[in-house]
Amino acid sequence: MSAHSAPAQTEIHTPAASRCAHDFQVNCNNCRLNTICLPLALDIAQVEQLDRIIQRSRPLQKGEHLYRQDEDFQSVFAVRAGSVKAYSITDNGQEQVTGFYLPGEVLGMDGIAKNRHASSARAMETSSICEIPFEKLGELSLRIPSLQKHFFQLMSQEISDDQRLLTLLSKNSADQRVAALLLSISARNKRRQLSAANFRLPMSRTDIGNYLGLTVETVSRVFSRFQKMGVLGVDNKEISIVDVEALRAVADGSENA
Amino acid sequence: MSAHSAPAQTEIHTPAASRCAHDFQVNCNNCRLNTICLPLALDIAQVEQLDRIIQRSRPLQKGEHLYRQDEDFQSVFAVRAGSVKAYSITDNGQEQVTGFYLPGEVLGMDGIAKNRHASSARAMETSSICEIPFEKLGELSLRIPSLQKHFFQLMSQEISDDQRLLTLLSKNSADQRVAALLLSISARNKRRQLSAANFRLPMSRTDIGNYLGLTVETVSRVFSRFQKMGVLGVDNKEISIVDVEALRAVADGSENA
DNA sequence: ATTCCGGCTTGACGCAGGTCAAACCGGGGC
DNA sequence: GCCCCGGTTTGACCTGCGTCAAGCCGGAAT
């Protein structure tokens, strides 16, 4: 294992959560992710109201489900620590990974429309999750306009993200897709004050392939190629971005190869 | 021109709109699309409140823009008649059609997150549009809980739709993609009490290809193939679905060819 | 230490769909 | 009528990625 595995590991022990493994008393005000998952516009009293409806259950083990497709929709979820993948299965049985969710990110909003989850979500590693009952969130939003706005924005962001992914899938080569995913994860790590250059991918090659519309083999080959090109350091799931500029160039198709 | 062009043409003259070409007094209560674009849960008085904030401008001509990427976001839009395509252009200049919007459907919600439109929208034919100022909609939603819920649902539906499209792009063949699009349009026509079997495609082959992540040539070839197979009747943009079951079989990959 | 097993890598080969090029078709302007 | 022009179709060829198959690597169980 390489040197940067240690910082990556701390992901699942945020300051708040690590004070005690069974500390379910963590609240939004002392959560270091609150600038990411919460509206900045809320004052302390409002955050406390929100806090009161949020449920924090025991950590999920790797592989456990947060919710399953077609189950009744009750809540949306925020990742506090760890990571989660969302995926859906179509009528004819094909599985599609629709998103990877890292700490501070919110998932489950696709269930609102039909009051049934349109996808399943499972932990890719041991994870702590905040459950936000949607009925109550709606009520609270009626009294806190900025909260309503924040949720409209969150959902809108999810739409934009999906549309960017759409473009990626329909227009870009395997190299570009993988490069874009790595840059996305890098940026999201950076937002959480983690290293943008060195990190551990929580998902398998298979998941990456499924998400990006590629086979495992292709994903693996791309990683190898990037490594050979001196753009990436790859040690199984440990990734280090050696040449960000080159990676960006690949991502938007302007490399001179 | 074939026999079914007439009903298709009436699309741009809804009962409400056709009373007078410049009748901007149309309102939600007498709009025959209100069960599609409006919450069923609103009572007459509430619909009137909503009605008061909705703006109906002169019809858009083919090719005119409803809004442009990166412009300030002010409103979401509902298609009353005609049809609209939404598309975005990435940093490196590639265009991606992100959706086709038919009467009763709402677009523009991807602009909420950043308060700037994340995509552009232009009329694919002469179209009437309802503009719904988002600021006011938010305020009204605070007073009409079912309206707030409806908009959460609308946005959630858009997320689900995008995710289904994602799966289509990442897992399905050209034949499957085109078949799925045709079935989608057919179903949406049916919902508006129009023929599910015979209709006029408002978009070009190029747009279809762009939307589905295919080239024009491939789209054209698929149409030809479907026609040869006796699944479809194709006369330029006039489509008739001859064998729905076969088309469904193609769409979910269970055809025995 | 040995085996097992799931995830990852690498190679050889084939095909669906992209690319390039040419021709067609239908509507609008003159 | 004629020409023009954008959209569409069709064909011939090429390639990126999927498929199939084999081998590798590392952690868990015994």
Side-chain angles (χ1 to χ4, degrees):
Chain A
M1 268 218 186
S2 54
H4 45 264
S5 66
Q9 277 298 73
T10 61
E11 274 189 37
I12 61 167
H13 296 294
T14 64
S18 63
R19 285 176 303 159
C20 166
H22 294 283
D23 181 3
F24 298 159
Q25 312 295 335
V26 216
N27 64 59
C28 291
N29 274 320
N30 72 16
C31 177
R32 74 192 173 90
L33 295 169
N34 65 18
T35 54
I36 298 180
C37 89
L38 275 184
L40 308 147
L42 292 197
D43 63 35
I44 304 239
Q46 290 171 331
V47 172
E48 256 159 34
Q49 285 185 276
L50 176 59
D51 209 76
R52 229 166 284 136
I53 68 167
I54 292 184
Q55 296 161 13
R56 298 174 186 79
S57 47
R58 65 171 174 73
L60 255 64
Q61 294 305 313
K62 174 175 178 166
E64 281 188 274
H65 274 82
L66 201 43
Y67 53 83
R68 286 191 152 87
Q69 193 166 349
D70 294 330
E71 273 179 7
D72 277 356
F73 167 81
Q74 305 283 355
S75 306
V76 297
F77 300 85
V79 179
R80 191 142 36 90
S83 53
V84 171
K85 78 164 172 177
Y87 64 97
S88 60
I89 302 192
T90 60
D91 319 316
N92 50 68
Q94 35 197 352
E95 182 174 329
Q96 168 74 35
V97 173
T98 52
F100 300 120
Y101 295 86
L102 303 183
E105 299 172 349
V106 176
L107 70 158
M109 295 176 294
D110 56 1
I112 298 169
K114 298 275 192 295
N115 230 46
R116 267 187 295 128
H117 283 286
S119 55
S120 303
R122 85 159 72 180
M124 295 189 294
E125 59 192 309
T126 307
S127 302
S128 302
I129 307 290
C130 296
E131 174 170 359
I132 310 166
F134 189 71
E135 199 65 49
K136 288 180 184 167
L137 179 69
E139 288 162 18
L140 194 55
S141 295
L142 294 172
R143 284 181 286 119
I144 309 180
S146 61
L147 182 60
Q148 184 195 52
K149 180 160 196 203
H150 180 67
F151 258 82
F152 279 135
Q153 288 179 328
L154 257 180
M155 295 184 72
S156 172
Q157 190 57 53
E158 180 88 32
I159 293 172
S160 301
D161 290 347
D162 286 348
Q163 290 180 351
R164 223 174 314 115
L165 184 55
L166 260 159
T167 308
L168 195 67
L169 293 198
S170 94
K171 300 281 185 300
N172 294 16
S173 69
D175 283 11
Q176 293 179 302
R177 297 184 208 185
V178 174
L181 175 62
L182 291 174
L183 288 171
S184 165
I185 290 176
S186 168
R188 287 143 83 189
N189 278 350
K190 189 173 182 187
R191 193 161 78 131
R192 290 186 290 133
Q193 330 274 14
L194 299 177
S195 168
N198 304 300
F199 47 87
R200 180 185 178 78
L201 292 175
M203 70 291 280
S204 68
R205 299 286 191 270
T206 307
D207 284 340
I208 294 177
N210 191 317
Y211 178 67
L212 295 176
L214 302 169
T215 57
V216 208
E217 292 95 326
T218 299
V219 174
S220 178
R221 277 185 254 267
V222 172
F223 274 117
S224 301
R225 205 174 312 141
F226 283 175
Q227 193 164 26
K228 232 167 272 169
M229 287 163 60
V231 175
L232 236 53
V234 182
D235 173 16
N236 202 352
K237 297 194 164 164
E238 297 294 338
I239 300 291
S240 54
I241 298 178
V242 177
D243 186 346
V244 211
E245 279 319 314
L247 194 59
R248 286 217 185 87
V250 172
D252 58 52
S254 56
E255 14 66 283
N256 35 17
Chain B
M1 263 212 192
S2 53
H4 45 263
S5 66
Q9 278 298 73
T10 61
E11 274 187 38
I12 60 168
H13 296 293
T14 62
S18 62
R19 284 176 305 159
C20 165
H22 295 283
D23 181 2
F24 296 158
Q25 311 296 334
V26 217
N27 65 59
C28 292
N29 274 318
N30 70 19
C31 177
R32 76 191 170 88
L33 294 169
N34 65 17
T35 55
I36 298 180
C37 90
L38 276 184
L40 309 147
L42 293 197
D43 62 36
I44 304 240
Q46 290 172 330
V47 171
E48 257 159 33
Q49 286 186 275
L50 176 59
D51 209 75
R52 229 168 284 137
I53 69 168
I54 293 184
Q55 297 161 11
R56 297 173 187 79
S57 48
R58 67 170 173 72
L60 254 64
Q61 295 304 313
K62 174 172 178 167
E64 280 188 275
H65 274 84
L66 201 43
Y67 52 83
R68 285 191 152 86
Q69 193 166 348
D70 295 330
E71 271 178 8
D72 277 357
F73 168 82
Q74 305 283 355
S75 306
V76 297
F77 300 86
V79 180
R80 192 142 36 90
S83 53
V84 170
K85 78 164 172 177
Y87 64 98
S88 59
I89 302 193
T90 60
D91 320 315
N92 50 69
Q94 37 194 350
E95 182 176 329
Q96 168 74 35
V97 172
T98 52
F100 300 120
Y101 295 86
L102 303 183
E105 298 173 349
V106 176
L107 70 158
M109 296 176 292
D110 56 1
I112 298 169
K114 297 276 190 294
N115 231 44
R116 268 187 295 129
H117 283 288
S119 54
S120 303
R122 86 158 71 181
M124 295 189 293
E125 60 192 309
T126 307
S127 301
S128 302
I129 306 290
C130 297
E131 174 168 359
I132 310 166
F134 189 70
E135 199 64 49
K136 289 180 183 166
L137 179 69
E139 287 162 19
L140 194 55
S141 295
L142 295 172
R143 284 180 287 118
I144 310 180
S146 61
L147 182 61
Q148 178 191 295
K149 180 159 195 205
H150 181 67
F151 256 82
F152 278 135
Q153 288 179 327
L154 258 180
M155 297 184 70
S156 172
Q157 189 57 52
E158 181 87 33
I159 294 172
S160 300
D161 289 346
D162 286 347
Q163 290 180 352
R164 224 175 310 116
L165 183 55
L166 258 156
T167 309
L168 195 65
L169 294 198
S170 95
K171 300 281 185 301
N172 294 15
S173 70
D175 284 11
Q176 292 178 303
R177 295 184 209 186
V178 174
L181 176 61
L182 291 173
L183 288 171
S184 164
I185 291 177
S186 167
R188 286 144 82 191
N189 278 349
K190 189 173 182 188
R191 193 161 79 131
R192 292 163 31 223
Q193 329 273 14
L194 299 176
S195 169
N198 304 299
F199 48 86
R200 179 183 180 79
L201 292 175
M203 69 292 279
S204 69
R205 300 283 191 271
T206 307
D207 285 339
I208 293 178
N210 191 317
Y211 179 67
L212 295 176
L214 302 168
T215 58
V216 209
E217 293 95 326
T218 300
V219 174
S220 178
R221 278 186 254 266
V222 172
F223 274 116
S224 302
R225 205 175 312 140
F226 283 176
Q227 193 166 27
K228 230 168 273 169
M229 287 163 61
V231 174
L232 235 55
V234 182
D235 173 16
N236 201 353
K237 298 195 163 164
E238 295 294 338
I239 300 290
S240 55
I241 299 179
V242 177
D243 186 346
V244 211
E245 278 319 314
L247 194 60
R248 286 218 185 86
V250 172
D252 57 53
S254 57
E255 16 64 282
N256 34 18

